[in-house]
Amino acid sequence: MSTVARAPGGAGGQGTPDGQDAPDGERAGAPDRDTEGPRPGPGALSARRAVGLVARREISSRMRTKSFVLSTLGLLLGLGVYALIIIVSEDGPARVGVEREASALRPALAAVAEKTGDFEFVTVDGDRTDRILRDGELSAVIGSADGQLTLSVEHEADEELLAVVRAAAAEERTSRELERAGVDPAEFRERVASSTVRVAALEPSENSAAEQFALILASTGLLYFFFVFYGIVLAQGVVEEKTSRVVELLLSTIRPWQLLAGKLIGVAVAGLTQLVLLGGAAVALAQGTGAVTLPSAVGGTLVTLGVWFLLGFFLFAAMLAAAAARVSRQEDLQGVVQPVMLLITTPFVLGIALLSKDAHDPLIEWLSLVPPLSPILMPARMLLGTAPVWQIALSLVLAVAALAGMTRVAGRMYANSVLRSGSRVPLAEALRLR
């Protein structure tokens, strides 16, 4: 940062008079500056400007890297390949031949198969059946021999097609018996069709079970990936600044909480940018291919997903940054961030296990209200349309309250630990009020 200046006496006055590091990683005078921060002077930065400068530095350093560009392009390319696979693999209805001897069955076959739309029936000559099946021109051929229907296939009969043929045969036989009994088949079917059952769903769903699972996996998986990826990026950046002693230079000009806030905002903007690009491409893919039925207000859903990303990211990333400030080497990072990673993984696993089993389970409803589970579970319930408005509002309020409390704790841990090098800072020492 061009606005940062080194304080007299080394890196912010943290070195010993002869320039050597203090023993055991405890630098002289560090606790005082951790608490008080740099003394304001005529050219001191305001809090807003200090946070803004750090945030812009993080945004510039993250979004201009090759890894950010390549990962974004890679994710978008992956979605494009997936869309291409869906389009290419979409076959039309299976073509089934009907021999002329069984042509009387075609109206019944068409009526039964209309409900599924998976079969197209064409008339063929019986003497060409074997060659047509071996060449793959048709998936099956329906014929008639000695008054008995036959279904000829190359290897194995499709169960759905077999069900259609049986239903059509029963329909055709019923019509003949009704006519023989002097009953009009059309009138009979009309009377039977009038005896229907009306389904009254308390919460109608527009999605099939497969589509619901896809929505659950997409929403929870996407948030989980971004929370973990950008949280680790932030934690590694904290340790890197400690190792290179850049943090001492930065904290000679701004306060620890301003540095932490700027880093959180900067990394969050980079993550949100990538999330919006990927989420928008996923929505376009779903609408273009019709693979998944999205909520009618998909724009509002994406905005809400972005809000939950910010809440969840600030909550988890603050904890990760505070934990990372306790160590001075990248090798020690995994040990201190593991408890936070468990907090991120738990709602992802619960979301897959419980929501896919029963989206209306009372357990998942209550868990989705409680932070830190709500940033992953509640967006999935919203996409499924199972979350009432009052639960969404309550979960947002609780998440904001948890974020406010956690940022204070994380800020204290960060300020008490970030200027101490050497061995890992004990948790009690990091949380100590000064």
Side-chain angles (χ1 to χ4, degrees):
M1 287 174 55
S2 60
T3 57
V4 177
R6 183 181 294 273
Q14 297 306 308
T16 55
D18 58 356
Q20 300 295 322
D21 288 342
D24 238 1
E26 185 102 36
R27 305 191 186 282
D32 290 338
R33 195 180 67 181
D34 284 349
T35 308
E36 298 176 4
R39 295 184 179 277
L45 296 173
S46 65
R48 178 181 299 179
R49 179 167 172 75
V51 172
L53 286 173
V54 175
R56 284 194 290 271
R57 169 178 171 266
E58 288 292 330
I59 294 172
S60 176
S61 63
R62 302 297 176 193
M63 297 182 65
R64 291 183 180 179
T65 59
K66 290 183 178 179
S67 61
F68 179 87
V69 176
L70 292 178
S71 63
T72 302
L73 293 177
L75 290 171
L76 293 176
L77 180 62
L79 278 176
V81 172
Y82 179 66
L84 184 62
I85 292 174
I86 292 178
I87 294 173
V88 172
S89 62
E90 282 184 349
D91 297 327
R95 301 181 76 242
V96 179
V98 181
E99 295 180 0
R100 298 187 186 280
E101 293 80 0
S103 59
L105 193 63
R106 282 196 61 178
L109 286 170
V112 175
E114 186 179 1
K115 301 175 182 178
T116 63
D118 294 332
F119 303 103
E120 177 186 356
F121 299 98
V122 296
T123 303
V124 296
D125 294 328
D127 55 355
R128 299 178 58 226
T129 297
D130 293 349
R131 184 173 61 82
I132 289 174
L133 291 176
R134 294 186 185 281
D135 292 345
E137 297 181 23
L138 299 175
S139 58
V141 175
I142 301 170
S144 178
D146 300 329
Q148 179 70 36
L149 279 178
T150 61
L151 181 64
S152 301
V153 296
E154 185 177 7
H155 297 294
E156 186 177 0
D158 181 85
E159 290 296 329
E160 187 174 355
L161 174 60
L162 192 58
V164 168
V165 174
R166 285 172 176 168
E171 177 77 11
E172 195 271 340
R173 181 63 178 269
T174 301
S175 297
R176 281 194 286 121
E177 293 297 329
L178 289 173
E179 290 176 351
R180 184 179 300 176
V183 178
D184 184 5
E187 183 180 353
F188 177 80
R189 292 192 191 94
E190 184 178 349
R191 291 181 179 181
V192 172
S194 63
S195 303
T196 58
V197 178
R198 184 176 64 87
V199 178
L202 296 179
E203 296 181 11
S205 175
E206 298 179 355
N207 305 102
S208 63
E211 289 177 333
Q212 287 188 0
F213 182 77
L215 288 174
I216 294 169
L217 184 62
S219 59
T220 57
L222 197 62
L223 289 173
Y224 172 76
F225 169 77
F226 277 92
F227 288 157
V228 171
F229 180 78
Y230 280 99
I232 291 298
V233 165
L234 178 64
Q236 290 175 342
V238 170
V239 177
E240 183 181 349
E241 288 180 350
K242 285 190 65 174
T243 304
S244 62
R245 302 180 68 173
V246 171
V247 68
E248 299 176 4
L249 181 63
L250 296 173
L251 293 183
S252 67
T253 305
I254 61 178
R255 296 178 180 273
W257 74 265
Q258 295 169 347
L259 177 59
L260 178 59
K263 291 178 71 66
L264 286 172
I265 294 173
V267 177
V269 170
L272 184 62
T273 301
Q274 199 171 48
L275 178 65
V276 169
L277 290 174
L278 189 61
V283 169
L285 167 64
Q287 291 182 333
T289 61
V292 178
T293 303
L294 296 174
S296 54
V298 65
T301 302
L302 285 178
V303 171
T304 307
L305 193 66
V307 171
W308 276 113
F309 166 76
L310 290 176
L311 286 174
F313 176 79
F314 285 131
L315 181 64
F316 293 125
M319 291 188 284
L320 287 170
R326 296 173 53 206
V327 298
S328 302
R329 300 185 309 167
Q330 297 287 354
E331 295 82 357
D332 301 328
L333 182 61
Q334 183 177 0
V336 293
V337 302
Q338 199 167 18
V340 185
M341 298 303 297
L342 183 61
L343 285 177
I344 305 176
T345 305
T346 299
F348 171 68
V349 175
L350 286 175
I352 297 295
L354 297 180
L355 282 172
S356 57
K357 182 179 180 181
D358 182 9
H360 298 277
D361 190 337
L363 176 60
I364 201 70
E365 291 183 3
W366 288 108
L367 289 177
S368 65
L369 300 178
V370 182
L373 306 180
S374 54
I376 291 181
L377 295 180
M378 185 54 74
R381 292 188 61 214
M382 292 173 60
L383 278 176
L384 295 176
T386 61
V389 176
W390 72 268
Q391 290 185 4
I392 298 173
L394 179 59
S395 63
L396 285 171
V397 172
L398 293 177
V400 171
L403 176 61
M406 182 51 63
T407 50
R408 291 182 64 87
V409 175
R412 182 189 305 162
M413 290 180 60
Y414 183 83
N416 291 342
S417 308
V418 73
L419 287 175
R420 297 178 59 177
S421 59
S423 59
R424 180 189 303 184
V425 179
L427 182 60
E429 184 71 15
L431 290 171
R432 189 176 65 182
L433 290 172
R434 297 186 182 277

